[in-house]
Amino acid sequence: AAVVVAVAHASCVPSQCQFTLTPTSGSAKAFDLSSMCTGSDYTITYKDFTYKANICGNAAADCLPSSFTDPTTQGVAIQYFGSTPSCSNPSCTNPSTGTATCCTAECHVLGTGAPKWALIDPTNPSGGVTATFAPVPVDVDNDPFWCPAESSGSMEPRSITYNVFCATKNALTAVEAPKMDNYCTVHMNFTSPTVC
């Protein structure tokens, strides 16, 4: 079972969640999902992973693993695994301030940048929306946790997709357990009245 809590202050960018989409037949529909960015990360624990995610902007959490340097420390979603090291002497560096800070558990950023929105069902504007983000390449020289190879032979990048489905019965946003194609490709499903 997934456990969902909202903690830390996320970086909300409301304009990233205000958009218009047009179904294959019919009129354009305006969407405003900015209320889903509450100022807190969505924290989802599932199996051996903990995810911190934001809908409209970067998650507040950073990815600062102690065993390797991840070149991408911030993004819309972060996947943590393993235990968080003790922090009697902070040995990681805060990317925003450059000061010493506590390291996180092993982690990877799953997506960066503004969302690219589309209708889940191109014929139904009330059927929900999907957001994709810029994937994060794997640093093969530094990262000990590799992704599966693509058909081209290069390593698959890490990525996150958000699906937001209509839910009229509950005014609050709900998050389901993430679904993984593999360790590096993650889908998060949300339900919200903002897409109805």
Side-chain angles (χ1 to χ4, degrees):
V3 177
V4 180
V5 251
V7 293
H9 294 292
S11 170
C12 291
V13 183
S15 62
Q16 289 187 3
C17 287
Q18 298 164 337
F19 53 93
T20 300
L21 298 173
T22 305
T24 52
S25 61
S27 302
K29 180 175 178 179
F31 293 90
D32 186 351
L33 282 65
S34 58
S35 63
M36 292 180 70
C37 187
T38 63
S40 299
D41 285 347
Y42 291 96
T43 300
I44 304 106
T45 301
Y46 179 66
K47 294 190 177 180
D48 296 330
F49 299 99
T50 297
Y51 298 88
K52 294 193 179 271
N54 188 5
I55 300 289
C56 313
N58 279 347
D62 291 321
C63 177
L64 303 170
S66 61
S67 65
F68 67 100
T69 303
D70 196 330
T72 305
T73 61
Q74 297 175 317
V76 297
I78 300 173
Q79 177 189 58
Y80 296 93
F81 49 96
S83 58
T84 302
S86 65
C87 189
S88 56
N89 186 16
S91 60
C92 285
T93 303
N94 180 308
S96 300
T97 65
T99 59
T101 191
C102 296
C103 297
T104 65
E106 303 298 339
C107 55
H108 292 107
V109 175
L110 297 178
T112 61
K116 293 182 181 170
W117 294 100
L119 294 171
I120 291 172
D121 176 352
T123 65
N124 181 4
S126 297
V129 295
T130 187
T132 55
F133 301 87
V136 179
V138 176
D139 180 1
V140 295
D141 296 325
N142 187 34
D143 187 342
F145 306 100
W146 288 13
C147 292
E150 295 181 315
S151 58
S152 65
S154 61
M155 193 171 300
E156 178 181 313
R158 292 188 171 85
S159 64
I160 186 87
T161 299
Y162 295 156
N163 296 310
V164 185
F165 296 97
C166 172
T168 56
K169 293 182 180 178
N170 186 350
L172 300 174
T173 297
V175 186
E176 294 179 7
K179 300 191 179 16
M180 295 184 274
D181 292 348
N182 56 54
Y183 169 78
C184 298
T185 304
V186 178
H187 305 270
M188 283 188 187
N189 291 335
F190 298 81
T191 57
S192 173
T194 60
V195 297
C196 297

